[in-house]
Amino acid sequence: MLRATKEEEDDVRGYFEWQASELEITFLQKVYVETILGTPHAVWDIHTTKDRWWVITNPHNLYSQEQFPNMDLCFTFHMGLLIRKPKERPQDQVPEAMRLLPFGTTFAKLRDAHDSLPSAMRLSDFQTIGVRSREVMLDFIAAAQDSVRWTADPPKRENFRGWIEIIINDLYPGDTNKERRGLLKGAAESAWTFANWLAHSKSSTWRDAELALSMMDFAVGNISSIILHEIRGVPSACPECGSSHLHPEVGEYENDAGRLWERPICMGCGWQGRAIPILSALELKDLVTRQGGHSSDEHSIMTQPLRSMRRPDDT
């Protein structure tokens, strides 16, 4: 059994009671977590007065343990649904983790920092969020250094202010970009300074911790997005029709299985930009982590065809 917060338990309980109002829960526990591309998916074992169910999160769905007695098989089925679902929705709603590489670990740490905010109650909790915010920004600046060769005379790797100055000047050169440079440098400087203050402050409040995360969101989110557009060759507007309605398209080449590529496409005229590799099978290993369960080389295969999904109200 894995540790779970009361908020997590209430969330899963509320979801199950919404989906199966006629069933009464007698026991529930979090038994497994697998983080894929920075998004954690938890598996909950739920017992009722009538039967047993799995609930898998992000997005939430429930599965009868009569149909899926094997948890690993159920999780595989759930992830298959999740992967297929983006085909039914606009490209701008494709899971964000796919677009954040090489900043995947940065945003995973950022989510962890946000997850700690609801339970922050004491001064030490607020200071910890300040420390985590600083760590996120250092991880971000390290990833930015590794993604592009910015200068022949680099400052020290952990010199956040020095690297921000170099990166923003490179992304937005010239007099016409003065205001853009000022906005991004100011945001990064403020986020860095406030996080360092929060990490040592003896008078901070919950609101200060929330503000530190919000400032970091703005700085890291916007600068990383600009860097990714630059290194992936995404223009500010379509070179064919001038539309700014550009979206990423992700796929594989038949002769290069295991590597994902991404290219910008114009939703107006269909223009396609240059495809670049964004993820290999080797890199994928670092983006999948597991908690709970047990290690096994066995594979789960359904012995009977799944003709329908059982629902709680099925007789």
Side-chain angles (χ1 to χ4, degrees):
M1 178 176 177
L2 299 178
R3 294 181 59 183
T5 65
K6 186 177 185 303
E7 289 78 9
E8 288 180 298
E9 185 175 319
D10 289 345
D11 175 60
V12 172
R13 183 184 296 274
Y15 170 77
F16 187 85
E17 290 175 347
W18 169 52
Q19 290 288 308
S21 58
E22 72 279 10
L23 298 178
E24 180 183 350
I25 296 176
T26 58
F27 176 78
L28 81 163
Q29 66 175 352
K30 183 165 67 171
V31 295
Y32 182 71
V33 177
E34 186 162 322
T35 301
I36 299 177
L37 290 171
T39 300
H41 305 275
V43 182
W44 290 72
D45 180 17
I46 297 184
H47 301 208
T48 75
T49 52
K50 184 178 179 181
D51 46 17
R52 292 176 62 175
W53 296 80
W54 304 114
V55 167
I56 305 180
T57 65
N58 290 328
H60 290 39
N61 207 0
L62 78 168
Y63 304 91
S64 166
Q65 291 193 24
E66 181 180 340
Q67 282 190 308
F68 292 94
N70 183 284
M71 184 197 72
D72 184 66
L73 177 61
C74 185
F75 188 87
T76 301
F77 184 86
H78 179 81
M79 292 309 301
L81 291 178
L82 177 62
I83 292 171
R84 290 299 302 272
K85 193 169 183 179
K87 294 179 178 294
E88 303 169 0
R89 57 187 177 180
Q91 281 289 331
D92 61 343
Q93 295 180 26
V94 171
E96 282 296 314
M98 292 297 296
R99 301 193 203 154
L100 299 177
L101 297 169
F103 300 106
T105 59
T106 299
F107 279 81
K109 291 181 178 180
L110 180 57
R111 277 190 293 272
D112 288 342
H114 275 284
D115 289 343
S116 66
L117 182 62
S119 59
M121 300 177 62
R122 299 178 296 274
L123 177 63
S124 59
D125 298 329
F126 309 146
Q127 292 173 332
T128 299
I129 289 177
V131 172
R132 285 188 167 189
S133 298
R134 187 171 58 192
E135 290 174 350
V136 168
M137 286 184 276
L138 287 174
D139 189 273
F140 158 71
I141 210 67
Q145 294 170 50
D146 294 337
S147 65
V148 175
R149 179 178 170 83
W150 300 98
T151 176
D153 185 25
K156 291 183 178 180
R157 189 168 179 83
E158 66 277 8
N159 186 344
F160 182 83
R161 291 187 175 94
W163 277 107
I164 284 294
E165 184 75 16
I166 291 170
I167 290 171
I168 300 304
N169 287 344
D170 187 278
L171 292 172
Y172 287 116
D175 292 340
T176 57
N177 286 317
K178 178 181 178 181
E179 285 72 20
R180 296 185 179 97
R181 289 195 302 271
L183 173 65
L184 294 173
K185 288 181 184 180
E189 170 66 24
S190 296
W192 177 254
T193 301
F194 196 81
N196 279 279
W197 170 82
L198 182 62
H200 300 94
S201 173
K202 303 298 184 182
S203 61
S204 57
T205 65
W206 188 91
R207 187 65 63 191
D208 294 324
E210 181 187 43
L211 184 58
L213 293 175
S214 297
M215 294 171 66
M216 183 174 57
D217 279 345
F218 180 86
V220 172
N222 281 282
I223 297 174
S224 63
S225 177
I226 295 167
I227 292 174
L228 285 175
H229 276 73
E230 182 72 17
I231 64 179
R232 296 183 182 179
V234 180
S236 58
C238 174
E240 296 292 336
C241 69
S243 171
S244 59
H245 201 40
L246 302 177
H247 292 281
E249 181 180 59
V250 178
E252 294 183 357
Y253 286 107
E254 291 182 359
N255 60 353
D256 191 19
R259 180 178 293 274
L260 293 178
W261 296 70
E262 182 180 281
R263 65 185 176 189
I265 61 171
C266 176
M267 304 303 290
C269 68
W271 170 83
Q272 299 176 351
R274 180 174 62 92
I276 67 167
I278 61 170
L279 180 67
S280 68
L282 181 62
E283 293 167 323
L284 182 61
K285 294 179 181 178
D286 298 327
L287 295 172
V288 178
T289 58
R290 298 176 172 89
Q291 289 181 274
H294 62 277
S295 300
S296 173
D297 294 329
E298 296 181 359
H299 297 278
S300 302
I301 301 175
M302 298 190 78
T303 57
Q304 297 181 1
L306 186 65
R307 294 187 173 89
S308 64
M309 287 292 293
R310 184 183 170 194
R311 296 179 54 81
D313 55 0
D314 289 343
T315 58

